[in-house]
Amino acid sequence: MTTIHLTTTIQAPIQTVFDVSRNIDIHQQSASKSNEIAIAGVTSGLINLNETVTWKGKHFGFYLTHKSRITAMTFYYYFVDEMEEGKFKTFKHEHFFEEKNGITIMTDQLHYETPFGIFGKLFDYLFLKKHLTQFLLERNKVLKKVCETTSSKTP
């Protein structure tokens, strides 16, 4: 199993960061490089506990679909999305939020397994982990910008 651990510091209230991070429209904006769009389930606005979204995007030259469900949620501190259908053997993305002095610390822990035995492990080592890390870094950059812009407009 591979784990990607990222921490992003955002100058915005925890509620803002929590809501922006589960906003389907903002995710689509952050994933524009892969032409990722929501095609089924919740396709716009905020996704909530037990709801699903199916994404379609271009990765490694192929259009792929990935259906995930929000399997756990504790407002405004934690939520989990887990793959129900897709190309991974397993895929679990945990989102943690902590506020300190008006700054929110957002932590991503993405755990996944590739199929195809040693070939999947080799693909992960050579390409996939870097691709997913860059995907999350771009997502978090957009989330940070949206949250900090929204927060600066709040009186």
Side-chain angles (χ1 to χ4, degrees):
M1 177 174 292
T2 303
T3 298
I4 298 170
H5 181 96
L6 297 174
T7 301
T8 307
T9 303
I10 302 173
Q11 293 184 329
I14 194 170
Q15 182 176 351
T16 300
V17 178
F18 185 85
D19 286 346
V20 167
S21 70
R22 60 193 181 95
N23 187 302
I24 301 297
D25 304 299
I26 293 170
H27 179 87
Q28 289 178 131
Q29 179 185 337
S30 73
S32 63
K33 289 179 183 176
S34 61
N35 298 320
E36 194 158 294
I37 58 169
I39 60 169
V42 178
T43 58
S44 185
L46 300 181
I47 192 165
N48 288 296
L49 183 62
N50 292 320
E51 292 181 334
T52 64
V53 59
T54 302
W55 299 102
K56 180 180 180 182
K58 193 171 191 175
H59 299 274
F60 302 106
F62 299 97
Y63 277 97
L64 305 171
T65 59
H66 179 97
K67 179 181 179 182
S68 61
R69 177 179 300 277
I70 304 299
T71 58
M73 184 177 288
T74 304
F75 285 88
Y76 296 96
Y77 303 99
Y78 178 73
F79 74 92
V80 179
D81 61 271
E82 293 188 68
M83 182 191 74
E84 287 193 345
E85 297 172 16
K87 299 299 180 192
F88 292 89
K89 189 174 180 180
T90 63
F91 186 98
K92 180 179 181 179
H93 186 179
E94 295 181 285
H95 309 257
F96 299 88
F97 305 86
E98 180 182 3
E99 189 171 3
K100 292 182 180 177
N101 302 321
I103 295 173
T104 300
I105 300 156
M106 180 178 72
T107 303
D108 291 282
Q109 286 189 11
L110 175 60
H111 315 276
Y112 65 90
E113 290 179 277
T114 55
F116 310 118
I118 190 69
F119 298 108
K121 286 179 174 49
L122 185 61
F123 179 74
D124 183 33
Y125 177 77
L126 294 174
F127 307 107
L128 185 59
K129 184 175 182 181
K130 181 179 179 184
H131 175 76
L132 290 173
T133 300
Q134 288 304 123
F135 185 87
L136 289 175
L137 287 170
E138 180 63 25
R139 173 186 176 272
N140 291 353
K141 184 173 109 179
V142 170
L143 293 180
K144 179 178 174 77
K145 183 177 179 182
V146 169
C147 288
E148 290 179 349
T149 302
T150 302
S151 184
S152 69
K153 292 180 182 177
T154 305

